[in-house]
Structure formats: C-alpha cells, structure tokens
Amino acid sequence: IVEAQRAFFKTGATRPIEKRKKRLENLKRMIDENIERIAIAYERDLGRGLKVAQMERAVTLSRIDHQISHLDEWAKPIELPLCPPLSAENGDSLYLVKESLGVVLNIVPWNGPLTSLGSNMYAIGVGNTIVFKPSEMAPAIAQLWEELAPKYFEQNFFAVITGGVPETSDLLKERFDHIFYTGSTGVAKIIMGAAAKSLTPVTLELGGKNPVFIDDSADISHCVSQLVGGKQLGAGQICICPDYILATPKAKAAIVEEFKKIISSLGDLNKSEFYGRIVHERAFDRLDSLVKSSKGTVIVSSGSPDRSSLHYPLTIVDVPLDDSLMDEELFGPIFPLHEVSSMEEALDIIHSKEKPLAAYAFTSHSKVADRFVEETWSGGVTINDIMVHTSTPLIPFGGVGHSGIGRIMGKYGFDTFTHEKGVAMRKGARLNI
Amino acid sequence: MLSADSDSLFLVPEPLGVVLIISPWNFPLVTSAPLVQALAAGNTAILKPSELDPTFSAVFAKLVAKYFDEKEFAVVEGGAPETTELLKERFDHILYTGCPPVAKIIMAAAAKHLTPVTLELGGKNPVFVDESADLALLAQGIVFAKLLNAGQICVCADYIVTTPSMKPKVIAAVSSAFDALGDMSKVKENARIVNERHYQRLTSLLQKTKGKVVYKAGGEISPSDKFIPVHLIDVDVDDEFMKEEIFGPLLPILSLPSFDAAVDYIKRNEKPLASYLFTSDEAQSSRFIRETSAGGVTVNGIMSHCFAPGVPFGGVGNSGMGKINGKFSFELFSHEKPVCLKAGLTYKH
C-alpha cells in the first residue's frame, strides 16, 4: 500500500491545487453524506449520539472550509527580499517553495472520530497521500471509514488500515515521509523510536495532567460551571480536559459548595448523550481502582459506577498531594481537588509534573494571570475558561515536552506537512510554478 | 466564543529548558552558532563539539567556562562514548549536525524521552547541467564548491549529471577552471582531508571505481599531508562513487540520456540537502524545482540559497528534519504557546 501510494505521489497527481481542494471537498462529503451512519457508529462505539456527531461535524467542516479557502494562499511560493551576495541587479531572486512530503501515516485515537477523520485535512491540503489508521477501540467507526474511503478518494491516495497493536506494529515497519500520532505518551515513544529508523519526522499530539489553578478572586460559579461542562464532554476523555484542581483555601471552600450544588442538580449522566461511556472495561477498571485507592474524600458524585453500561459518574474528590488521583493523567470524569496555601505552592506542584497539554487558571488578578502564563509550561493556556485557546484554526494546537511535538490547526497544520524549500535563482532565472 | 470586548489571545514564545547541540568537525563554530538562539530563547545550552576537532574543542570549552556559568552554558568534550552517556540524559531539544546513521541513533535516544530533534544531515547533492547551461558559471560554481573545505561541506556539489552531448564540454570547462588555479597542495590554507579515516575512505573510492578519471587537478595525493587534488571521474549509475555522500574533492560525472531521465534518477534516490541546476530554460528549471525534492535549491549557482536571511536551512527525508537560520533557530528552541485570557484580563509581558 505504501509503495503504491509513493508511486502515485511521484506521478505528481497530488500537486495541482484544484485537485487538493477537490479531495478536501470529498472529505467533507464523506462526512456529510453519511452522517446518520456515523451517528449510529458513535452510539455503538462511544455511547454518544447524533447531537455529538453533529457538533463534531460542524466544527470539522468549518475547519476544512477554512483550509480550502486559504489553500491557494498557503500553497503558493513566497518571493523573499534579497541580501548580498544576492541582488536584483545580478538577476537574482529568492523564493520559498511549498513542497509536499510524500506518504503520511496518521494514527488517531477513538475519542473524537470526526475530529480525527478531519485531521487528515492538513496532509491532504499540502498534497501528500494518507495512510489512515483509526483506533481499534472504536471498531464500528473504523469499519465505516474503511468502507467509505474508496468511494470518496482515488485509489492509492487514501488507505484505511483497521486493526490493533499488531497491525500498527506492521505499519511502523514501513517507511513514511511523516508520521502523525494522536494518543498517549507511552505509545508515542514507541512510534518515535520506530520513526527514528528511517529518519521520519513525527508530530505527536499527546495529553497530560492539565492543571486548574483557582485563587480566591475567581468567579466561582462561572468557574465550576465551566469545569463541570468541560468534564461532561466525553466523560473527561479528551486530551485538553482539565484534570486536577488546585485551589486556595477560600476558593476551595466555595468550590466544594458549588460542585455539590451543580452536580446534584445534573441528574443521572448515564442518560446524557454528551457524556457517553468510558471507552472499555480496562479503562473503567483503572478509573474505579484509582478512586478506590484514593486517600481522599469523595465530595460529591453524579451517580454510581456501572461496569455493565461502562458508566462512570462525575466525581469530585478532595485529595492530599501524594494521592493516586494526583499521579497520572486521569482521562475520565473525576476531579481531584487539592487545597494549596498560595500560588507558589500551586506552581511547585505543577512544576513537579510533566508539561501538560493545557493549563488553566481562574482569577481576577492580572498579576496572577501573568505569572501563571510565565511560570507554567504547557501546550496552551486559557485563563477564566477552559479549552477556548484551541477553539479556532487561527490558533496553533500542540503540546510541549511529554504533551507532544509539533502542531496542527489551520496554517500551522498546513506548515507541519510541508517542506519549505529555499530556492535561489541566479542569472535571470525566474520561478514559474 | 471569543470577543474583543472582554477577551484577549496571545502567542507567547516560551523556552524549552535544556538544549543539547552536537556539532560536526567541518565548520565547528558556524554549526555551533544556533546555541546563540537557544540562549536568546531563554534556554540553557550544552554543546558537544566534535572530537575530530580536539584543538577547537579544548579552546572553546575553556573560553565558555570563562564567560559563562556552567548552569547556563557548558561544553562537554569527547567522542562516541561521551556522547552516548550524554544521550542517556533528558534534554528539551537536541540539535544534531552530521550524518544519517548517527542521526538515527540520536533520534532513537531522544524518542525515549520524547525529546524533539533537529537533524541537519547531508546527501548526494546533484548538479544538473543541461544543454542551455552557462558553462563558465558552472565551472565557477564547481571550483567554489570543491575548494570550500576540500568539498567537506554538507551542501557541497556531490555529483554532476548531464546529457551525453554536454558531458565533454562540462569536463573541459571544469578542467580548465581548476588548471587556472595550479597546484593547490602548495597553498597551505587550502583545506586537507580531516583525518586518516576519511582520507582512506576517499582514496579507496578512487581504487574501487569502475569509472575513468578524466581530470586531476594539480598536486599529488599525499598521505602525510592528507591532500587530495580535485578529481573528475566519468562514471555509470552503479559506480562506487554513486553510493554514498562523497564529502571530499572527488567529483563524479554521470551522463543520462535526457532531462527526464535525470529527474527520474534524482527522484529515485534519497532527498539530498541541496540540489543544483545550471540552465537558461525557465520551463526546465521550474520543472526541476517542482518535481525533485531537496532541502534547498540554487539555480545557476552553488549554495546561494544557504543561510540567506528569511530562508530556512534544513533538509528533508534523509537529509534531515527541522530548520535553522536566524529566526527559524529561535522558533526551534521555543514553544509558541497560545494563551487565551477571558473576563477582561490581558497578558502583560
């Protein structure tokens, strides 16, 4: 498959911009024309229904539209100003030519299927071919992509490979021109190690233990409502979801009351289609045992865990620092809440962990905000809200340290899958491509 | 979702932490220079210069210790064993300039910590000369390339590919340009081969080749001086000279029946760090640029695209990943962090 794609790539078939736009349009149609079947697959795999699929569809399509509308501008060569020894008098000119790489491997997770399908848009827009490996943890979705892709893309342009670890290991033995992986830190190390064998560049979108710092000046009801809303989306199984809370004493007391108030009025989230299931038994058991082995106290919970329906309730736990819930990324609907005496203490705790994908703070003091921005290191930051720094294609999305390498969204995504080739032309030669 | 009345959005460049720069022997200071941007971006830096430059290494290490606290910037000297030890540590970015086999080892070591890497490698940089080429310009470019550190530079011209009818003319033009320089072994400043191993590697290529030496510049091959005069060798595609990057003053010349055949040949091989084309045919040059890939290209010159301001310097595929040069180096060593502030707050740097 890889060889066939590389041969197809070398014919130059992916170069014309109009063809790339057509393929992006086809990606949109693949989503639009099959939305009902996609929603059914969402329900089967994730316990989330049509509304969630529609929401992801809207966001994904708008991102694809953004790319299509800017593609001409991004793909065209840029002429650069000259410095000695180059000069216009000598007939010199200097350009940056945007070049595609070749065959791109895109390995995606299960938690946002349409977003993940959409993530192919960057490599497609640049004129690369795609080998797409959806997650085996959402098998109905994977099968659907496998069935639909040949109807919307040329042969040898977009291949869907289904399967799990063995199939991925086989894939990684092949040589790609770029590997894009979204998932966990552990697997990312294996992928980067495999990529090293052929000097393949990688883009890794990982996660982390995304902290939320709340000080006494925060708007508590706004803050808790955002946190509850954020954790409900996909039952906290989203890379930029807030993971744990550090609150100063007055804020903590107020937060506890507010959580109790809001969560008791939520009703049983088992029925909520935005909430969905925990992805599988293994993940459920992991969350359950983390809570059971916690040395903290459960402040409030939206219901009871039910393994048969893979439902885990939204749970707030007041914890000490060395708690089981304060260790790894939770990726679930649990908020450990830890009281800190000051911002210094909060920063110390945040620094003791790996750089997360996102960091959040709620405060009305601009000095606190400034300090949080400068003294924490993360993929991105939102102050007084959550996830908003990832909300448009004008903002780069990516991690740092263990939360990832490289970035996507909008032009940043386009640039990731492009090789910007410097071209100096002398003696009157001019670029005409 | 965001409104200018109460919200603000920034991109904040953030340092990464501790940067490791491993530089090669051929241009030790220039290739270590990105450490400037590493420090400017707010990182600390560790430099591991090449053990094949022991004098430079020692002098630079001493000077760095005199001007910097080792917590900010330190030099670690040594060879493969020291580098292996260094690579067990965790860095926040590793910049390596050198060759693909070692780059693979470095990237694999970096993978264990998910450390991003920038690899500035090399390749078999082709020089395509077509029927409409200005041969004087070509000869000038080749002289420049092969005298610069005796061809021991990553963006050097590695081989010439041309058509059968042009080949004798190319050979003649290049030969007479070198003839005009005379015996370069008499010029002390003219570069020598860096060490015994590379000297042996290059001289053994001359022994193993099935090609014909069609020109040898002035001066004799000298093992004691490690001087090798420029040689032009007429070869076929399967010759020893066409296997690995040459990195020396030996220049194979290959003829292929047509421009198409040359483009195909270049496409079939690893993407080089640079590719060069001598032509006055605009359609030909545009096609070459469109259809072949390389880190960078110069048409009607050699290395003119390198380190020009605004042009990223870096390879693609086997010639490397990531880019340096000025602002690009700064960006390499920082994380551009998106920051969104709501409820009327803004960020004051």
Side-chain angles (χ1 to χ4, degrees):
Chain A
I1 290 174
V2 178
E3 261 180 59
Q5 283 202 2
R6 194 158 275 125
F8 179 73
F9 175 80
K10 285 193 174 165
T11 65
T14 63
R15 216 178 288 120
I17 310 272
E18 290 313 309
K19 287 227 175 101
R20 300 185 205 172
K21 287 185 190 170
K22 185 98 205 306
R23 293 185 193 108
L24 291 170
E25 293 285 352
N26 286 343
L27 185 60
K28 284 174 60 181
R29 279 179 43 228
M30 182 170 157
I31 297 171
D32 262 339
E33 290 172 6
N34 300 281
I35 192 66
E36 277 100 28
R37 290 183 68 191
I38 292 171
I40 292 170
Y42 262 64
E43 179 57 55
R44 275 185 57 186
D45 284 341
L46 310 172
R48 296 179 222 163
L50 185 63
K51 285 215 195 80
V52 175
Q54 294 283 27
M55 203 177 77
E56 266 193 68
R57 165 176 166 264
V59 170
T60 304
L61 293 185
S62 84
R63 288 178 191 171
I64 299 175
D65 279 338
H66 181 257
Q67 217 199 22
I68 294 173
S69 68
H70 288 278
L71 201 61
D72 287 319
E73 179 199 322
W74 295 345
K76 69 171 193 268
I78 301 173
E79 186 159 1
L80 297 172
L82 298 173
C83 267
L86 299 175
S87 79
E89 290 80 49
N90 284 343
D92 300 329
S93 50
L94 191 60
Y95 303 88
L96 276 186
V97 171
K98 311 295 181 87
E99 194 171 80
S100 13
L101 302 174
V103 181
V104 172
L105 172 62
N106 185 9
I107 301 175
V108 301
W110 55 267
N111 59 342
L114 279 171
T115 307
S116 292
L117 179 69
S119 73
N120 290 301
M121 74 178 90
Y122 312 108
I124 293 175
V126 178
N128 301 292
T129 69
I130 307 276
V131 175
F132 184 49
K133 166 71 192 62
S135 171
E136 71 277 23
M137 303 199 205
I141 287 276
Q143 258 175 356
L144 189 56
W145 297 154
E146 192 179 35
E147 180 204 316
L148 293 175
K151 298 185 183 159
Y152 291 88
F153 296 105
E154 303 130 288
Q155 195 184 27
N156 298 323
F157 176 77
F158 190 105
V160 178
I161 313 288
T162 54
V165 170
E167 286 77 8
T168 310
S169 304
D170 274 342
L171 260 184
L172 289 172
K173 292 181 186 143
E174 299 300 321
R175 183 178 178 185
F176 295 93
D177 297 288
H178 195 109
I179 297 177
F180 178 20
Y181 168 74
T182 305
S184 72
T185 310
V187 175
K189 291 179 181 176
I190 296 171
I191 289 181
M192 189 170 170
K197 296 196 175 104
S198 46
L199 292 175
T200 300
V202 298
T203 297
L204 308 169
E205 294 279 349
L206 312 175
K209 222 165 157 53
N210 307 323
V212 187
F213 171 63
I214 307 173
D215 81 356
D216 292 347
S217 72
D219 176 343
I220 297 295
S221 78
H222 168 73
C223 163
V224 171
S225 119
Q226 296 311 103
L227 291 176
V228 168
K231 211 69 150 169
Q232 271 186 79
L233 199 55
Q237 297 167 106
I238 290 180
C239 50
I240 43 170
C241 193
D243 186 287
Y244 67 102
I245 304 169
L246 301 172
T248 49
K250 232 178 80 186
K252 189 209 170 189
I255 289 165
V256 166
E257 289 318 305
E258 191 69 17
F259 267 131
K260 283 182 184 165
K261 194 175 102 193
I262 300 220
I263 290 178
S264 343
S265 69
L266 278 180
D268 191 353
L269 289 173
N270 210 343
K271 311 288 187 302
S272 158
E273 68 174 306
F274 285 96
Y275 198 73
R277 294 193 291 265
I278 301 303
V279 68
H280 47 45
E281 277 86 2
R282 193 163 41 90
F284 179 98
D285 292 339
R286 178 183 162 262
L287 289 172
D288 203 34
S289 92
L290 281 172
V291 172
K292 290 198 167 103
S293 59
S294 165
K295 291 184 272 184
T297 332
V298 175
I299 292 172
V300 62
S301 170
S302 69
S304 317
D306 176 17
R307 198 172 189 270
S308 63
S309 63
L310 287 174
H311 170 73
Y312 206 89
L314 184 48
T315 310
I316 317 295
V317 188
D318 187 348
V319 300
L321 190 55
D322 57 346
D323 198 72
S324 56
L325 292 171
M326 288 295 281
D327 188 19
E328 288 173 12
E329 181 178 3
L330 289 171
F331 216 67
I334 301 159
F335 264 130
L337 167 61
H338 177 73
E339 182 175 314
V340 291
S341 56
S342 63
M343 187 180 192
E344 278 71 27
E345 196 189 329
L347 291 176
D348 277 342
I349 293 169
I350 294 171
H351 293 162
S352 71
K353 301 182 190 303
E354 293 295 338
K355 296 176 185 179
L357 186 57
Y360 302 108
F362 287 84
T363 178
S364 42
H365 294 314
S366 71
K367 284 211 163 63
V368 169
D370 286 351
R371 202 171 162 203
F372 191 80
V373 170
E374 283 168 11
E375 294 188 36
T376 63
W377 301 283
S378 64
V381 174
T382 297
I383 308 277
N384 292 330
D385 207 324
I386 53 167
M387 305 195 207
V388 185
H389 66 280
T390 68
S391 58
T392 87
L394 300 177
I395 310 173
F397 180 72
V400 65
H402 275 203
S403 54
I405 294 178
R407 52 200 191 171
I408 53 166
M409 289 283 259
K411 182 168 190 287
Y412 301 101
F414 182 90
D415 288 345
T416 292
F417 297 99
T418 303
H419 168 55
E420 272 182 4
K421 182 166 75 174
V423 177
M425 305 192 75
R426 312 202 71 173
K427 275 301 201 169
R430 300 246 354 138
L431 191 67
N432 181 16
I433 60 173
Chain B
M1 213 182 302
L2 297 174
S3 121
D5 294 333
S6 56
D7 307 329
S8 54
L9 193 55
F10 295 85
L11 285 178
V12 178
E14 178 169 275
L16 302 176
V18 182
V19 170
L20 172 64
I21 296 177
I22 300 176
S23 57
W25 52 264
N26 60 344
F27 290 90
L29 201 49
V30 164
T31 56
S32 302
L35 70 90
V36 167
Q37 283 89 2
L39 296 173
N43 303 288
T44 69
I46 294 181
L47 175 69
K48 214 297 286 165
S50 171
E51 71 279 21
L52 298 189
D53 286 334
T55 315
F56 171 82
S57 235
V59 167
F60 202 64
K62 213 159 106 184
L63 288 173
V64 168
K66 187 165 152 203
Y67 286 85
F68 290 92
D69 186 318
E70 70 169 15
K71 288 203 291 278
E72 297 172 320
F73 177 27
V75 174
V76 172
E77 294 189 81
E82 287 78 7
T83 309
T84 306
E85 279 311 299
L86 207 47
L87 288 172
K88 290 183 185 148
E89 301 297 324
R90 182 177 174 184
F91 295 94
D92 298 289
H93 196 107
I94 298 176
L95 165 62
Y96 166 73
T97 305
C99 65
V102 175
K104 291 176 183 179
I105 296 171
I106 291 183
M107 188 171 169
K112 299 200 171 96
H113 298 293
L114 291 175
T115 298
V117 298
T118 298
L119 308 170
E120 295 281 347
L121 311 176
K124 279 192 88 56
N125 307 322
V127 182
F128 180 72
V129 183
D130 86 352
E131 318 274 314
S132 68
D134 177 335
L135 288 171
L137 211 55
L138 166 74
Q140 202 179 67
I142 298 297
V143 165
F144 169 65
K146 287 311 195 186
L147 283 191
L148 189 57
N149 210 23
Q152 299 165 109
I153 175 171
C154 52
V155 280
C156 195
D158 187 278
Y159 68 97
I160 297 177
V161 55
T162 189
T163 56
S165 62
M166 283 304 280
K167 187 162 73 170
K169 299 182 197 163
V170 169
I171 293 171
V174 172
S175 306
S176 69
F178 278 104
D179 276 340
L181 296 173
D183 182 352
M184 292 305 284
S185 70
K186 298 202 164 53
V187 179
K188 199 163 67 88
E189 291 78 12
N190 180 229
R192 293 349 194 205
I193 305 308
V194 66
N195 67 2
E196 189 62 35
R197 183 166 67 86
H198 283 286
Y199 175 84
Q200 292 296 348
R201 179 180 65 80
L202 290 164
T203 50
S204 85
L205 277 174
L206 282 171
Q207 280 154 14
K208 287 192 215 149
T209 181
K210 288 185 276 181
K212 181 160 148 266
V213 174
V214 293
Y215 175 74
K216 181 173 93 61
E220 290 312 311
I221 293 183
S222 159
S224 55
D225 190 22
K226 290 197 216 57
F227 172 78
I228 300 178
V230 171
H231 285 61
L232 213 49
I233 309 102
D234 187 348
V235 301
D236 282 327
V237 291
D238 57 353
D239 196 82
E240 273 310 302
F241 270 108
M242 296 312 289
K243 295 198 175 136
E244 286 176 9
E245 183 177 3
I246 294 163
F247 220 69
L250 307 175
L251 183 59
I253 174 164
L254 181 65
S255 72
L256 290 175
S258 63
F259 179 75
D260 282 350
V263 166
D264 270 341
Y265 177 76
I266 292 169
K267 276 163 77 164
R268 260 182 283 131
N269 289 298
E270 294 296 341
K271 298 175 184 179
L273 185 56
S275 61
Y276 302 109
L277 172 64
F278 286 82
T279 183
S280 15
D281 184 332
E282 188 174 281
Q284 204 96 297
S285 66
S286 298
R287 202 184 138 200
F288 185 86
I289 290 164
R290 228 184 10 244
E291 294 189 31
T292 66
S293 178
V297 178
T298 299
V299 178
N300 295 333
I302 302 278
M303 303 189 215
S304 311
H305 65 281
C306 299
F307 296 109
V311 179
F313 184 79
V316 62
N318 242 35
S319 54
M321 59 180 79
K323 37 203 194 184
I324 58 171
N325 189 24
K327 183 157 188 275
F328 299 105
S329 302
F330 183 91
E331 286 166 1
L332 203 64
F333 297 123
S334 25
H335 169 60
E336 208 175 29
K337 180 166 82 174
V339 176
C340 177
L341 301 109
K342 298 191 77 175
L345 289 183
T346 185
Y347 169 59
K348 275 174 250 55
H349 175 49

